[in-house]
Amino acid sequence: MAVRLLKEVNGAPDAQIGTHLRRAYLNELTLDFDCTDKYIQGTILLKYPPSKLGTGQSILKLVLQAHATDQSATAAATINTFIFGKLVEMCTDTIHQGDSVIFVGFTVDKSPTAEKDGRHRCQLELSEEVGTMIYVYGKSSSVEGVAEQITESRSTAVRQKYTYTPLNQLKSGSIVNVYGVVKFFKPPYRTKGTDYCSTVTLVDPSGGKLTCMLFSGSPDTLPKIFKVGDIVRFHRLKIQEFNKEVQGVTSPGFSTLTFDGILGASLTPRTTSKRYCFTDEDKKMVDMLRNWAVTSSVVSEPTIQLLSVQPMQYFDLTCQLVAKADVDGASVLLKVWDGTKCSYPSWRVFVEGSALEGDEAFIHKLCNLTVDILVYDNHTLETKCLKPGMFLRIYNLHAKCGLRTPADVQCLEFYLHGGNSYGRGIRVLPDESYDVTELKKHLDSVDLQQYQDLEGISLLEWDNTLTGPLSQDKVCLNVLDRCQQESATVVTSHHHLNSVPLSTVVKEKAPQKYRIRAKMKSYEPQKLYQSIKLYCPRCHALQDIPSDEDLETALKKSMDGRHSTDFHNSSWYWTASWNTEPPDHREIVIHFVKKEEIQENSGKTLILIERVNLVELRRLSEKFGGIIPVKSCDQLSLGDLCIPFFIQGRHWHYGCKNCSILQNVNHIPSLNQEELLEPSAIAGVLGIQPLQYAFLMKFTLEDESAVLEAYLWDEAEKFLRMPASDVIADHALQEKLQTLMRMLSPPGRNIDRPWLECCIKSYCIEEGGNRKVCYQVFDTIIAEDDC
């Protein structure tokens, strides 16, 4: 590793930097940029004083400016550059503002200050660990007298010795290097912003435990953890306090290595860096942690084989992808195998053979060893890059109980549900990983001939075996009813159920589940805004949203009685008031909640408001970030819960009168700055049980055999593909809802209505001392093309 001073001759450095190197321009740099055999050239625009990280490691910040003739001049022409370790001492007296430099051997990371300083969205990081070589040159530069320590060759480079902190000795505010065994993790997932996040919990022999929230602009730059028990090494991990516990987060220069936790496995790490430092001491550390994890039994491995899967079990599965297909626009089918046969019959998802991606002969050959997995929601995006033949680990897979076979044997359905709870997700395993190597050996040893017998065929292959050979355009187990493709709705589960006529549904006793095909004769309420209700998840009370007349009456009632000025201004708010014009002539009072930082933007300000009418309240809600309606008599307190307890623009939040235990508004100062505009936090300190917006509709369905009324209730948002809380506040969504319902049930007598594929369940209620059977739509959504 070296820093070299060069002379500039005719505008170019007087030494060659290697013909194998290619120049990289700033406009090329991204988080997944391959830095191998590349160099960056530019001028030092700014140089900051050197400083030290919490670990004692030196750091130097520079701002590199692209030359005016560079390709990158039209993009962000400056980029933040960080130098770490011994290289800082070499550069402090060598690099000056205005010098021209060449950087060989660097890494690229996301710049957390790009929006603030207007520089490149990435930053450069230079260190001995990645093998950096820095060339400094200028017209006035002189190589005479340059100290030998800044002209070291790569072959004699001195590697920095890193110090690793035990997990029980971590302190908030420090930047540390750590080793640990993975006890829990979530594969990288996209946040609500543009970043990806991975959650990792580490343990080590010290008895300490550390949860890390790692963020990056690309999932490829986050730790490549494949299972619980893996060993990780984190460099430059920032420690902070969260909920009275230490937490690790990424910091500039953060890097990671991951090793398989299996004893005797390869010591080759998984990393995104092309260059890294890994010494004999590191090897000893990895071996020690592997042995400790096994002997102390701190890690429980949830990965099991299909042979051992039990009903209602959640587990991790290591497998090979045989085929995949889009099912209904809302889910993706994965056909996988792991060389073992599931002990229970497994269901089959019906899709057109042409929609199935994979080798038809191989699919047929493995038809008695594969299982079908339906993947939902955010995980469908992860499946887009999957190709048959890849090796996967699927996390938190659900083996759900399905129907029983004619022999009364339980059938299993496999789902990867949406969300990231419990580390749910999919990862592609590299061919060289220990688990893939072992799985390949097992798959190669499987005698496929013994699984070709008829008695080994799984559930729902019965129909195929009875109807003779499959046609050329259909693959074993995979046919989707043509009528479902033409339906305005699709079912998200229970694909194994055959459609039954409505006459069968109304004749059978409840409770039952059915799959039906019908048309919507009508729906209620016709005024769709009336379909949105307020629901209490605690007491299950359901009520209408207060009308404007109800709100106006409640607001006027809150103005009755004595109004006190004793509560104007306080330690945590300041007060302003003014009088309205006659004949109303009343005093409007606003209490502005104080913040640690002065906010010029009223859109981020929380106010408490008294003595306003509905028109004034709506106008103020457009201006301020949050509004809490209050009244002052004997004390400053909340008004009637007929009025929203918190208003945020078009979103009006109501509380349950039955379940709320109102608290004094003086508890508001206990909230931190981020929570002041958070509805759930406001409800918590004020003792309010928030009500949720929910749809409630009644469909009249009919087919050739019967007419049936079914409710759309607890899965209405899933069915309509829109949340009720957004619909009530968004005119565009209200129009979209109106369009959807007119599509499902067009107005007029002679208009042909679309078919609906639905799952219906029957249940009983007591009404007036009599038992009544009701029906509800579930596991059904509007087809994507109709949304």
Side-chain angles (χ1 to χ4, degrees):
M1 197 173 303
V3 176
R4 297 186 60 188
L5 282 177
L6 306 176
K7 286 184 178 180
E8 187 176 12
V9 179
N10 296 325
D14 66 347
Q16 294 294 320
I17 59 172
T19 56
H20 65 290
L21 298 176
R22 183 183 73 81
R23 183 174 179 180
Y25 295 90
L26 296 192
N27 63 342
E28 297 180 85
L29 299 183
T30 60
L31 291 175
D32 55 358
F33 181 76
D34 184 1
C35 304
T36 307
D37 295 333
K38 308 289 193 315
Y39 71 91
I40 290 283
Q41 186 173 355
T43 302
I44 302 300
L45 180 66
L46 292 173
K47 176 185 176 184
Y48 293 82
S51 58
K52 290 186 179 294
L53 301 175
T55 58
Q57 186 183 28
S58 298
I59 182 173
L60 176 65
K61 179 180 179 181
L62 307 171
V63 177
L64 184 72
Q65 182 179 40
H67 293 158
T69 57
D70 286 355
Q71 297 177 16
S72 59
T74 57
T78 58
I79 187 169
N80 290 326
T81 304
F82 293 90
I83 301 176
F84 299 95
K86 283 189 176 182
L87 214 54
V88 172
E89 183 180 350
M90 300 178 188
C91 295
T92 300
D93 297 324
T94 308
I95 296 179
H96 304 283
Q97 198 164 304
D99 282 348
S100 294
V101 294
I102 294 175
F103 298 145
V104 181
F106 58 89
T107 59
V108 177
D109 201 354
K110 181 179 179 180
S111 173
T113 61
E115 292 186 4
K116 187 180 298 183
D117 57 32
R119 295 173 188 143
H120 200 288
R121 60 191 180 95
C122 298
Q123 63 186 31
L124 300 178
E125 296 179 358
L126 316 175
S127 67
E128 294 178 331
E129 186 178 24
V130 298
T132 297
M133 178 80 77
I134 300 177
Y135 298 88
V136 185
Y137 63 96
K139 293 180 180 179
S140 60
S141 297
S142 173
V143 294
E144 287 81 15
V146 177
E148 292 184 2
Q149 66 266 27
I150 66 170
T151 57
E152 296 176 297
S153 67
R154 289 178 182 263
S155 61
T156 59
V158 179
R159 295 187 181 274
Q160 179 175 349
K161 183 176 177 61
Y162 289 92
T163 302
Y164 296 94
T165 306
L167 298 184
N168 67 344
Q169 297 180 16
L170 301 175
K171 295 181 180 179
S172 179
S174 61
I175 296 181
V176 299
N177 307 313
V178 298
Y179 264 102
V181 180
V182 176
K183 189 174 180 64
F184 171 80
F185 76 102
K186 289 185 180 181
Y189 59 91
R190 186 180 289 277
T191 64
K192 292 182 179 180
T194 58
D195 280 354
Y196 287 83
C197 176
S198 180
T199 303
V200 185
T201 299
L202 304 180
V203 292
D204 72 357
S206 72
K209 184 174 76 170
L210 176 67
T211 297
C212 304
M213 296 293 291
L214 309 175
F215 294 89
S216 175
S218 169
D220 296 331
T221 60
L222 291 169
K224 295 182 178 297
I225 300 171
F226 294 145
K227 66 179 179 179
V228 170
D230 279 353
I231 312 296
V232 297
R233 186 187 82 178
F234 293 160
H235 278 183
R236 293 176 287 279
L237 181 72
K238 183 178 180 180
I239 305 300
Q240 62 186 23
E241 186 172 334
F242 180 75
N243 284 343
K244 298 183 180 179
E245 293 185 356
V246 292
Q247 180 186 72
V249 296
T250 50
S251 70
F254 173 80
S255 65
T256 173
L257 300 181
T258 307
F259 304 85
D260 200 300
I262 301 294
L263 286 173
S266 170
L267 286 171
T268 301
R270 302 190 288 267
T271 179
T272 57
S273 176
K274 299 295 183 182
R275 301 181 180 89
Y276 53 86
C277 174
F278 188 65
T279 65
D280 290 340
E281 293 298 318
D282 290 293
K283 295 178 182 178
K284 293 178 182 178
M285 177 67 79
V286 173
D287 286 336
M288 183 275 291
L289 288 175
R290 283 174 172 174
N291 283 282
W292 173 78
V294 172
T295 56
S296 60
S297 301
V298 295
V299 174
S300 58
E301 176 56 73
T303 301
I304 62 175
Q305 292 181 309
L306 291 173
L307 176 69
S308 305
V309 175
Q310 297 297 314
M312 303 309 295
Q313 187 172 16
Y314 286 87
F315 63 100
D316 296 350
L317 178 66
T318 303
C319 56
Q320 185 181 32
L321 180 63
V322 177
K324 73 170 186 176
D326 289 329
V327 177
D328 50 23
S331 59
V332 173
L333 164 68
L334 301 182
K335 282 185 172 293
V336 303
W337 75 312
D338 70 352
T340 68
K341 182 171 177 59
C342 187
S343 300
Y344 293 81
S346 61
W347 73 321
R348 295 305 186 199
V349 180
F350 295 96
V351 296
E352 287 286 353
S354 58
L356 202 62
E357 180 183 345
D359 182 85
E360 183 175 341
F362 193 54
I363 295 170
H364 184 78
K365 192 175 184 179
L366 297 179
C367 65
N368 296 320
L369 285 174
T370 56
V371 296
D372 287 6
I373 300 172
L374 272 187
V375 178
Y376 286 99
D377 298 338
N378 54 303
H379 305 300
T380 60
L381 297 176
E382 301 171 25
T383 64
K384 292 185 182 299
C385 64
L386 302 183
K387 300 294 181 184
M390 285 183 170
F391 292 92
L392 312 176
R393 180 166 282 119
I394 305 176
Y395 304 96
N396 199 238
L397 186 61
H398 185 195
K400 186 178 178 181
C401 294
L403 291 181
R404 291 183 175 272
T405 70
D408 199 34
V409 178
Q410 185 70 64
C411 166
L412 293 186
E413 303 172 0
F414 294 93
Y415 297 95
L416 183 65
H417 301 295
N420 306 102
S421 300
Y422 309 104
R424 193 174 298 137
I426 305 174
R427 292 211 78 159
V428 177
L429 300 179
D431 287 347
E432 65 273 11
S433 73
Y434 179 86
D435 287 330
V436 170
T437 301
E438 294 300 307
L439 180 59
K440 284 181 177 179
K441 292 179 183 177
H442 178 64
L443 297 183
D444 291 340
S445 69
V446 175
D447 181 8
L448 298 180
Q449 189 61 42
Q450 65 175 310
Y451 295 104
Q452 302 303 309
D453 298 332
L454 178 63
E455 56 184 316
I457 295 181
S458 300
L459 179 67
L460 296 184
E461 290 181 61
W462 309 321
D463 291 341
N464 290 334
T465 60
L466 295 175
T467 55
L470 293 169
S471 61
Q472 293 182 355
D473 62 335
K474 292 182 175 59
V475 184
C476 177
L477 323 173
N478 295 315
V479 180
L480 178 60
D481 247 339
R482 189 65 194 169
C483 64
Q484 179 174 334
Q485 288 187 337
E486 298 171 353
S487 171
T489 60
V490 291
V491 296
T492 60
S493 186
H494 306 286
H495 298 86
H496 55 282
L497 293 178
N498 292 323
S499 293
V500 298
L502 293 183
S503 58
T504 301
V505 177
V506 298
K507 289 177 182 178
E508 294 188 351
K509 293 182 178 181
Q512 297 286 346
K513 292 182 179 180
Y514 308 91
R515 181 178 176 186
I516 62 121
R517 175 174 162 82
K519 294 186 177 183
M520 188 183 296
K521 184 177 181 181
S522 63
Y523 61 86
E524 296 178 12
Q526 285 292 306
K527 296 180 179 178
L528 288 174
Y529 69 87
Q530 296 176 347
S531 68
I532 303 178
K533 309 291 184 181
L534 291 172
Y535 170 71
C536 178
R538 180 176 295 179
C539 68
H540 307 296
L542 194 68
Q543 66 184 63
D544 291 329
I545 299 172
S547 65
D548 287 357
E549 293 76 14
D550 295 334
L551 288 173
E552 194 67 76
T553 300
L555 288 169
K556 286 182 178 179
K557 187 177 179 180
S558 69
M559 300 180 201
D560 295 342
R562 183 176 65 88
H563 166 62
S564 175
T565 60
D566 296 342
F567 307 105
H568 287 202
N569 297 307
S570 169
S571 60
W572 58 277
Y573 64 79
W574 61 274
T575 304
S577 64
W578 68 93
N579 292 322
T580 61
E581 297 292 333
D584 194 11
H585 197 71
R586 56 187 161 78
E587 183 184 25
I588 296 177
V589 182
I590 298 182
H591 307 287
F592 296 85
V593 177
K594 297 177 182 178
K595 302 186 75 171
E596 294 177 359
E597 297 181 1
I598 297 176
Q599 291 286 349
E600 295 182 2
N601 184 1
S602 60
K604 297 182 179 181
T605 301
L606 174 64
I607 64 171
L608 282 61
I609 188 77
E610 295 185 62
R611 303 174 65 79
V612 292
N613 60 32
L614 186 57
V615 173
E616 293 161 343
L617 189 58
R618 283 189 171 133
R619 287 176 180 172
L620 290 169
S621 68
E622 296 174 358
K623 181 176 179 61
F624 292 98
I627 297 177
I628 301 177
V630 295
K631 61 182 180 181
S632 60
C633 186
D634 297 328
Q635 61 177 358
L636 194 64
S637 61
L638 288 174
D640 193 317
L641 286 182
C642 290
I643 304 170
F645 71 87
F646 184 60
I647 299 172
Q648 204 167 32
R650 292 179 176 268
H651 295 275
W652 292 38
H653 302 271
Y654 292 86
C656 179
K657 294 182 179 181
N658 301 326
C659 303
S660 300
I661 304 175
L662 299 185
Q663 303 295 315
N664 196 302
V665 295
N666 287 323
H667 288 118
I668 291 177
S670 65
L671 298 174
N672 61 41
Q673 299 300 307
E674 290 75 19
E675 294 172 329
L676 282 176
L677 295 178
E678 178 58 45
S680 60
I682 295 288
V685 297
L686 296 181
I688 293 173
Q689 170 59 50
L691 295 175
Q692 299 174 355
Y693 288 98
F695 290 107
L696 177 60
M697 296 182 182
K698 184 169 70 173
F699 296 162
T700 301
L701 304 175
E702 65 177 356
D703 63 6
E704 296 85 354
S705 66
V707 177
L708 176 148
E709 290 183 342
Y711 290 97
L712 182 65
W713 162 233
D714 55 352
E715 294 191 22
E717 292 188 346
K718 176 182 174 182
F719 178 91
L720 297 168
R721 294 178 177 263
M722 59 181 77
S725 58
D726 288 349
V727 173
I728 198 69
D730 190 325
H731 293 304
L733 285 179
Q734 293 167 17
E735 293 178 0
K736 181 177 180 181
L737 177 61
Q738 189 76 45
T739 302
L740 280 176
M741 296 310 300
R742 286 179 177 173
M743 179 272 297
L744 297 178
S745 180
R749 293 185 177 181
N750 299 320
I751 298 178
D752 187 29
R753 299 186 300 276
W755 286 103
L756 308 181
E757 288 281 338
C758 298
C759 288
I760 299 287
K761 58 185 175 182
S762 60
Y763 58 98
C764 293
I765 62 170
E766 294 291 334
E767 189 176 85
N770 298 319
R771 195 179 186 200
K772 179 182 177 181
V773 178
C774 296
Y775 303 93
Q776 186 172 328
V777 178
F778 75 105
D779 281 349
T780 307
I781 60 173
I782 301 286
E784 191 170 24
D785 290 343
D786 298 316
C787 292

